[in-house]
């Protein structure tokens, strides 16, 4: 079917809607509070450092998180084991400080205006699973930032799901993470694996 249709599932018939094209409008980032030339203040740097160093598990996967703001770079050393991996984010001050204050870093990752540069031996899946889940899923959304909080978080999941369901879910997630880390999402092998997984899930 073409795009923009009204479809009747009872008869299988459809008709075109033909909506008018959206106007091509571009807005300056300043209209939303972002000035790319604005630098971080000392308190901002402290808040960003506290935010990332407080996510304890992150240090197992990343050595350093660098923010390029207003033409200046600020490196946050996580103090964990040497992985050889670091990441640089280029982002305007207002969006960064709000994401840290409100603990919604995922909004920056999916916003399509912060640029990300990976340094070192990252997997083909990029920030997943060594960065994104620990920051956005467990720390921001799950409120689990320390090792003890993570243990309590996962224990509660096990309790709610039951041991058998939790084990199956954990094994599936580990298999998916391993596949993502080794194969490009554009590779034929990865696409075939996804189709096979979808068929298996549909049959279960």
């Amino acid at each position: 079917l073409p795009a923009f249709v009204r479809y009747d599932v009872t008869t299988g018939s459809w008709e075109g809607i033909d909506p008018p094209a959206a106007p091509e409008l571009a807005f300056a980032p300043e209209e939303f509070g972002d000035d790319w030339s604005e630098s971080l203040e000392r308190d901002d740097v402290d808040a960003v450092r506290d935010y990332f160093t407080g996510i304890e598990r992150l240090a197992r996967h990343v050595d350093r998180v660098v923010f390029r703001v207003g033409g200046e770079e600020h490196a946050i050393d996580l103090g964990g084991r040497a992985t050889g991996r670091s990441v640089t984010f280029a982002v305007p001050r207002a969006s960064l400080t709000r994401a840290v204050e409100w603990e919604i870093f995922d909004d920056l990752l999916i916003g399509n205006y912060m640029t990300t540069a990976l340094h070192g031996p990252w997997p083909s899946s990029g920030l997943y699973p060594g960065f994104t889940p620990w920051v956005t899923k467990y720390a921001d959304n799950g409120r689990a930032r320390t090792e003890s909080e993570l243990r309590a978080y996962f224990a509660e999941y096990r309790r709610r799901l039951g041991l058998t369901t939790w084990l199956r879910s954990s094994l599936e997630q580990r298999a998916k993470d391993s596949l993502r880390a080794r194969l490009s999402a554009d590779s034929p092998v990865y696409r075939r694996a996804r189709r096979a997984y979808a068929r298996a899930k549909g049959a279960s």
Side-chain angles (χ1 to χ4, degrees), residues 7-13:
Y7 183 80
D8 188 330
V9 296
T10 59
T11 64
S13 61

Side-chain angles (χ1 to χ4, degrees), residues 113-145:
Y113 61 95
M114 176 176 74
T115 62
T116 304
L118 303 180
H119 316 284
W122 288 84
S124 62
S125 52
L127 292 174
Y128 192 94
F131 181 93
T132 303
W134 307 109
V135 175
T136 65
K137 181 177 181 180
Y138 303 127
D140 284 353
N141 294 335
R143 320 306 299 159
R145 300 173 62 82

Side-chain angles (χ1 to χ4, degrees), residues 8-9 13 34 36 48 51 59 62 69 74 76 81-83 88 93 103-104 127 131 133 140 172 177 179 193 201 203:
D8 188 330
V9 296
S13 61
D34 272 331
W36 283 82
V48 173
Y51 173 81
V62 188
V69 182
H74 305 271
I76 311 298
R81 62 189 183 189
T83 66
T88 298
R93 173 184 177 266
E103 299 181 350
I104 51 169
L127 292 174
F131 181 93
D140 284 353
E172 285 181 5
D177 290 347
L179 195 65
K201 288 289 285 186

Side-chain angles (χ1 to χ4, degrees), residues 40-93:
L40 290 178
E41 299 176 1
R42 182 182 298 273
D43 290 346
D44 300 331
V45 177
D46 291 341
V48 173
R49 180 177 293 106
D50 291 344
Y51 173 81
F52 281 98
T53 57
I55 305 172
E56 294 180 357
R57 187 64 67 91
L58 197 58
R60 296 189 185 185
H61 305 278
V62 188
D63 298 338
R64 184 178 298 105
V65 182
V66 181
F67 287 94
R68 186 178 298 123
V69 182
E72 300 176 352
E73 287 196 354
H74 305 271
I76 311 298
D77 289 312
L78 300 180
R81 62 189 183 189
T83 66
R85 290 192 293 267
S86 64
V87 56
T88 298
F89 297 109
V91 61
R93 173 184 177 266

